[in-house]
Amino acid sequence: MSVSLRKYPYPYQAMLAICSDLDETPNKEIYFETARYLNTTEETLLGKGVGLEVGNTIYFEMPEHNFSYTNTDDDGRKKIQKLIQSGHIDCLHSFGDFVNDRAKIEQYWSEIRQGERKIEVWVDHAQAPTNLDNDIMQGQGAESGKAPYHSDLTVKTGALPFIWKGRVTSCVAQNAKRSYRALFNKKQIKASLKTITLEFVKGWLARLGNQKYAMHQANKVLRKTQLIDGTPVLEFLRCNPSWGGVSMFDSARGIHQVLTKSVLDALVANAGCSIFYSHLGKIFTEEEPFQEKTRQAFELLASFTHNNQILVTTTRRLLGYLRASEELCFTTKETTSHVHIYITTIASEGDLQGLTWNIPSDKEPVLWVNDEIYTNITKNTYDENGVQSVSIPWLDLQFPNIN
Ligand SMILES: [Zn+2]
């Protein structure tokens, strides 16, 4: 057999990130306890943690009772900085509702970039003036000459390569054939058929030349595009595979309708990857933020990870992995005893993590990265098809102590 790149890190068959916008998170306790619940196996306010790898978003000036960098206290800000450094706050969710001038943008931009690890993902929020999309999301962040213009500082410099501009699909499993089956709900036939029809129509509109739904039709997480001022970006697509449509069950109060066995089975069966669109700060009550059904949904997801089916990671890491694997060029050379894999890449070491090549079982692998031997590799045990592979190990993020 010849050498080939696996779609996902060994031994997983699919990948998923939960990309939660922090809208309406009522206080700092719930913001940080949610992170602990998702990323550790400790007892938390939301229940016993599920030990996944899930990031979060952050923004600045917001109305009262909305957790944000400026609405919280010094202790909250210290913890935010810690979680940016550990990779668990990985997306900037605009600069916030009330940020509308350059001085504040520059101040907040440097505020979140003090540490070694930087936020590299931007997610447009509601109607925030600094949004980068001027169409669906009505922002002016990329309109040169306007007060909230900032893409010259934040995007053109290369600091924010990954941008979300408002696009959500109903289909689970991107980077795979479009599949509607998981949307069908036999208890909600009429509503679920409406959602399926709507998604189907978007695909046809795109085929007829409609630009708004081009990403839905292509069904790929990433596409190369540009902002209004011409700045090249990688735009990403999120999904909310809810039978009620993309704007239903997009919060903690509805995620049990989305993280279901049929949705997760479809993700695996299609060998897809998905970035889920949600708002985990929109909780049930401050006393019991998640209900039993919410916990069961996250435990179900964790069981797919423990069964080596779905690798769950942060939005930033999933995007970095996809970019690295899509841009990767490699050549190989086989000797009687060894198989040499040569890659040339500009990706960071972190983004190369998880890359896996299937190799002939009788050969020892040697990996070359940019003309140097890369010693940190793992030869994997045979997979379910009896195929041997070699990986750059995928290392979990370490959740910091924020108590
Ligand atoms: Zn938002």
Side-chain angles (χ1 to χ4, degrees):
M1 66 163 277
S2 58
V3 177
S4 60
L5 185 68
R6 274 179 68 110
K7 202 167 175 186
Y8 302 112
Y10 174 89
Y12 299 98
Q13 295 157 267
M15 271 177 105
L16 180 155
I18 294 168
C19 184
S20 168
D21 301 350
L22 74 160
D23 307 40
E24 292 174 37
T25 306
N27 57 50
K28 75 171 182 183
E29 189 188 17
I30 287 168
Y31 185 83
F32 294 115
E33 283 295 280
T34 305
R36 257 185 1 103
Y37 171 81
L38 294 167
N39 290 286
T40 77
T41 50
E42 297 161 12
E43 287 298 335
T44 73
L45 174 69
L46 288 74
K48 187 174 180 327
V50 285
L52 293 166
E53 190 167 281
V54 181
N56 205 346
T57 45
I58 192 67
Y59 47 27
F60 296 85
E61 298 179 15
M62 287 294 291
E64 260 186 90
H65 310 301
N66 282 260
F67 178 84
S68 80
Y69 193 90
T70 39
N71 281 358
T72 188
D73 55 11
D74 284 344
D75 172 66
R77 282 184 280 276
K78 217 169 97 189
K79 289 173 177 168
I80 291 170
Q81 292 290 354
K82 262 193 174 177
L83 291 179
I84 293 174
Q85 290 318 302
S86 66
H88 293 92
I89 295 177
D90 58 336
C91 306
L92 186 58
H93 192 33
S94 86
F95 282 98
D97 282 355
F98 302 141
V99 178
N100 200 6
D101 70 82
R102 183 68 178 214
K104 277 190 175 160
I105 289 166
E106 286 181 3
Q107 180 197 338
Y108 295 146
W109 181 241
S110 66
E111 185 75 35
I112 50 154
R113 291 171 56 81
Q114 342 169 344
E116 198 183 327
R117 195 197 294 257
K118 319 281 189 212
I119 290 179
E120 293 178 296
V121 184
W122 171 279
V123 175
D124 271 359
H125 156 71
Q127 277 110 41
T130 51
N131 281 348
L132 290 168
D133 181 80
N134 70 337
D135 178 21
I136 309 173
M137 305 305 289
Q138 303 173 25
Q140 297 182 319
E143 280 189 59
S144 176
K146 296 284 166 61
Y149 179 62
H150 62 87
S151 70
D152 58 329
L153 172 74
T154 55
V155 191
K156 213 168 259 175
T157 52
L160 284 176
F162 304 109
I163 311 289
W164 184 77
K165 304 201 299 167
R167 288 180 172 82
V168 182
T169 175
S170 285
C171 289
V172 72
Q174 277 57 64
N175 295 14
K177 205 169 154 281
R178 256 156 85 83
S179 160
Y180 308 91
R181 203 185 315 162
L183 292 170
F184 183 71
N185 182 329
K186 57 180 188 285
K187 287 183 201 140
Q188 300 286 348
I189 291 177
K190 210 170 143 193
S192 62
L193 283 178
K194 191 177 154 201
T195 300
I196 291 168
T197 308
L198 214 77
E199 190 61 40
F200 191 76
V201 167
K202 285 176 185 172
W204 271 104
L205 287 174
R207 234 168 268 174
L208 296 169
N210 181 307
Q211 283 305 305
K212 195 170 170 183
Y213 300 122
M215 284 192 92
H216 294 69
Q217 153 74 7
N219 198 39
K220 287 198 68 182
V221 171
L222 280 174
R223 76 161 171 184
K224 285 183 180 163
T225 183
Q226 51 185 24
L227 301 179
I228 314 142
D229 66 353
T231 310
V233 295
L234 287 170
E235 179 182 0
F236 64 98
L237 176 70
R238 289 196 280 179
C239 82
N240 180 29
S242 138
W243 57 263
V246 289
S247 304
M248 211 170 166
F249 309 128
D250 59 345
S251 75
R253 294 191 287 268
I255 198 153
H256 60 281
Q257 296 273 9
V258 180
L259 285 181
T260 61
K261 188 169 181 304
S262 74
V263 164
L264 298 176
D265 279 340
L267 184 62
V268 174
N270 289 291
C273 58
S274 283
I275 299 183
F276 275 47
Y277 167 76
S278 197
H279 302 82
L280 296 183
K282 296 185 183 180
I283 47 162
F284 288 95
T285 64
E286 291 188 24
E287 295 69 40
E288 196 191 5
F290 285 3
Q291 293 184 350
E292 189 51 35
K293 57 192 176 196
T294 328
R295 284 186 281 275
Q296 281 171 3
F298 282 109
E299 282 159 18
L300 178 70
L301 177 58
S303 75
F304 275 79
T305 299
H306 295 145
N307 293 334
N308 295 337
Q309 291 175 294
I310 302 177
L311 176 58
V312 178
T313 186
T314 63
T315 305
R316 169 61 188 84
R317 290 195 79 190
L318 176 51
L319 292 170
Y321 174 82
L322 292 179
R323 178 178 60 180
S325 59
E326 281 169 24
E327 290 177 351
L328 195 72
C329 292
F330 72 94
T331 56
T332 60
K333 195 174 80 188
E334 288 183 40
T335 67
T336 46
S337 54
H338 289 78
V339 52
H340 294 262
I341 303 169
Y342 305 88
I343 69 172
T344 314
T345 179
I346 52 163
S348 68
E349 234 170 301
D351 286 346
L352 296 176
Q353 285 185 20
L355 289 175
T356 301
W357 290 266
N358 291 330
I359 54 169
S361 57
D362 56 339
K363 306 263 165 87
E364 272 308 306
V366 184
L367 179 66
W368 298 77
V369 176
N370 298 333
D371 297 325
E372 280 184 37
I373 288 187
Y374 199 88
T375 50
N376 180 22
I377 57 173
T378 306
K379 198 173 167 185
N380 303 310
T381 50
Y382 295 93
D383 71 6
E384 66 281 3
N385 302 315
V387 176
Q388 182 103 61
S389 61
V390 59
S391 293
I392 296 176
W394 178 273
L395 305 175
D396 295 336
L397 294 180
Q398 295 302 308
F399 195 79
N401 183 3
I402 51 167
N403 287 332

PDB file of all heavy atoms in Angstrom, residues 33 36 42-43 75 79 82 400-403:
ATOM      1  N   GLU A  33     -17.416  28.264  35.876  1.00  0.00           N
ATOM      2  CA  GLU A  33     -17.854  26.909  36.229  1.00  0.00           C
ATOM      3  C   GLU A  33     -18.222  26.110  34.979  1.00  0.00           C
ATOM      4  O   GLU A  33     -18.041  24.890  34.931  1.00  0.00           O
ATOM      5  CB  GLU A  33     -19.045  26.961  37.196  1.00  0.00           C
ATOM      6  CG  GLU A  33     -18.643  27.291  38.627  1.00  0.00           C
ATOM      7  CD  GLU A  33     -17.772  26.213  39.256  1.00  0.00           C
ATOM      8  OE1 GLU A  33     -18.307  25.181  39.701  1.00  0.00           O
ATOM      9  OE2 GLU A  33     -16.535  26.406  39.281  1.00  0.00           O
ATOM     10  N   ARG A  36     -15.046  24.783  33.680  1.00  0.00           N
ATOM     11  CA  ARG A  36     -14.567  23.661  34.513  1.00  0.00           C
ATOM     12  C   ARG A  36     -15.402  22.410  34.252  1.00  0.00           C
ATOM     13  O   ARG A  36     -14.881  21.299  34.184  1.00  0.00           O
ATOM     14  CB  ARG A  36     -14.637  24.045  35.997  1.00  0.00           C
ATOM     15  CG  ARG A  36     -13.279  24.380  36.538  1.00  0.00           C
ATOM     16  CD  ARG A  36     -13.172  24.671  38.019  1.00  0.00           C
ATOM     17  NE  ARG A  36     -14.338  24.597  38.857  1.00  0.00           N
ATOM     18  CZ  ARG A  36     -14.595  23.576  39.680  1.00  0.00           C
ATOM     19  NH1 ARG A  36     -13.775  22.553  39.779  1.00  0.00           N
ATOM     20  NH2 ARG A  36     -15.682  23.607  40.432  1.00  0.00           N
ATOM     21  N   GLU A  42     -13.972  17.335  37.508  1.00  0.00           N
ATOM     22  CA  GLU A  42     -14.234  17.727  38.897  1.00  0.00           C
ATOM     23  C   GLU A  42     -15.725  17.977  39.125  1.00  0.00           C
ATOM     24  O   GLU A  42     -16.498  18.133  38.187  1.00  0.00           O
ATOM     25  CB  GLU A  42     -13.448  19.022  39.200  1.00  0.00           C
ATOM     26  CG  GLU A  42     -11.938  18.847  39.089  1.00  0.00           C
ATOM     27  CD  GLU A  42     -11.201  20.179  38.918  1.00  0.00           C
ATOM     28  OE1 GLU A  42     -11.823  21.241  39.112  1.00  0.00           O
ATOM     29  OE2 GLU A  42     -10.006  20.130  38.575  1.00  0.00           O
ATOM     30  N   GLU A  43     -16.104  18.038  40.414  1.00  0.00           N
ATOM     31  CA  GLU A  43     -17.466  18.458  40.759  1.00  0.00           C
ATOM     32  C   GLU A  43     -17.568  19.965  40.525  1.00  0.00           C
ATOM     33  O   GLU A  43     -16.701  20.725  40.938  1.00  0.00           O
ATOM     34  CB  GLU A  43     -17.760  18.152  42.235  1.00  0.00           C
ATOM     35  CG  GLU A  43     -17.950  16.678  42.538  1.00  0.00           C
ATOM     36  CD  GLU A  43     -19.132  16.036  41.811  1.00  0.00           C
ATOM     37  OE1 GLU A  43     -20.083  16.762  41.454  1.00  0.00           O
ATOM     38  OE2 GLU A  43     -19.089  14.809  41.585  1.00  0.00           O
ATOM     39  N   ASP A  75     -10.451  39.941  39.576  1.00  0.00           N
ATOM     40  CA  ASP A  75     -10.309  38.488  39.703  1.00  0.00           C
ATOM     41  C   ASP A  75     -10.802  37.790  38.422  1.00  0.00           C
ATOM     42  O   ASP A  75     -10.150  36.875  37.904  1.00  0.00           O
ATOM     43  CB  ASP A  75     -11.106  38.017  40.928  1.00  0.00           C
ATOM     44  CG  ASP A  75     -11.171  36.508  41.000  1.00  0.00           C
ATOM     45  OD1 ASP A  75     -10.096  35.886  41.191  1.00  0.00           O
ATOM     46  OD2 ASP A  75     -12.277  35.937  40.847  1.00  0.00           O
ATOM     47  N   LYS A  79      -8.582  35.542  35.643  1.00  0.00           N
ATOM     48  CA  LYS A  79      -8.945  34.191  35.201  1.00  0.00           C
ATOM     49  C   LYS A  79      -9.119  34.128  33.674  1.00  0.00           C
ATOM     50  O   LYS A  79      -8.758  33.136  33.049  1.00  0.00           O
ATOM     51  CB  LYS A  79     -10.232  33.735  35.904  1.00  0.00           C
ATOM     52  CG  LYS A  79     -10.003  33.438  37.381  1.00  0.00           C
ATOM     53  CD  LYS A  79     -11.318  33.143  38.101  1.00  0.00           C
ATOM     54  CE  LYS A  79     -11.045  32.783  39.554  1.00  0.00           C
ATOM     55  NZ  LYS A  79     -12.278  32.778  40.360  1.00  0.00           N
ATOM     56  N   LYS A  82      -5.782  33.801  32.234  1.00  0.00           N
ATOM     57  CA  LYS A  82      -5.277  32.431  32.423  1.00  0.00           C
ATOM     58  C   LYS A  82      -5.836  31.488  31.371  1.00  0.00           C
ATOM     59  O   LYS A  82      -5.131  30.643  30.820  1.00  0.00           O
ATOM     60  CB  LYS A  82      -5.691  31.911  33.813  1.00  0.00           C
ATOM     61  CG  LYS A  82      -4.615  32.027  34.865  1.00  0.00           C
ATOM     62  CD  LYS A  82      -5.025  31.198  36.085  1.00  0.00           C
ATOM     63  CE  LYS A  82      -3.899  31.161  37.109  1.00  0.00           C
ATOM     64  NZ  LYS A  82      -4.285  30.431  38.331  1.00  0.00           N
ATOM     65  N   PRO A 400      -6.109  25.097  33.525  1.00  0.00           N
ATOM     66  CA  PRO A 400      -5.404  25.669  34.684  1.00  0.00           C
ATOM     67  C   PRO A 400      -6.264  25.683  35.950  1.00  0.00           C
ATOM     68  O   PRO A 400      -7.491  25.537  35.871  1.00  0.00           O
ATOM     69  CB  PRO A 400      -5.113  27.098  34.230  1.00  0.00           C
ATOM     70  CG  PRO A 400      -6.239  27.421  33.300  1.00  0.00           C
ATOM     71  CD  PRO A 400      -6.612  26.124  32.627  1.00  0.00           C
ATOM     72  N   ASN A 401      -5.617  25.875  37.068  1.00  0.00           N
ATOM     73  CA  ASN A 401      -6.350  26.027  38.329  1.00  0.00           C
ATOM     74  C   ASN A 401      -6.901  27.445  38.401  1.00  0.00           C
ATOM     75  O   ASN A 401      -6.148  28.416  38.454  1.00  0.00           O
ATOM     76  CB  ASN A 401      -5.390  25.754  39.491  1.00  0.00           C
ATOM     77  CG  ASN A 401      -6.110  25.833  40.809  1.00  0.00           C
ATOM     78  OD1 ASN A 401      -7.323  26.040  40.861  1.00  0.00           O
ATOM     79  ND2 ASN A 401      -5.365  25.676  41.894  1.00  0.00           N
ATOM     80  N   ILE A 402      -8.227  27.587  38.384  1.00  0.00           N
ATOM     81  CA  ILE A 402      -8.806  28.925  38.449  1.00  0.00           C
ATOM     82  C   ILE A 402      -9.667  29.103  39.697  1.00  0.00           C
ATOM     83  O   ILE A 402     -10.495  30.006  39.768  1.00  0.00           O
ATOM     84  CB  ILE A 402      -9.631  29.269  37.178  1.00  0.00           C
ATOM     85  CG1 ILE A 402     -10.641  28.154  36.855  1.00  0.00           C
ATOM     86  CG2 ILE A 402      -8.748  29.552  35.996  1.00  0.00           C
ATOM     87  CD1 ILE A 402     -11.682  28.550  35.819  1.00  0.00           C
ATOM     88  N   ASN A 403      -9.495  28.222  40.658  1.00  0.00           N
ATOM     89  CA  ASN A 403     -10.295  28.358  41.898  1.00  0.00           C
ATOM     90  C   ASN A 403      -9.714  29.429  42.808  1.00  0.00           C
ATOM     91  O   ASN A 403      -8.552  29.665  42.821  1.00  0.00           O
ATOM     92  CB  ASN A 403     -10.361  27.028  42.635  1.00  0.00           C
ATOM     93  CG  ASN A 403     -11.274  26.071  41.887  1.00  0.00           C
ATOM     94  OD1 ASN A 403     -12.186  26.493  41.213  1.00  0.00           O
ATOM     95  ND2 ASN A 403     -10.978  24.790  41.970  1.00  0.00           N
TER      96      ASN A 403
END
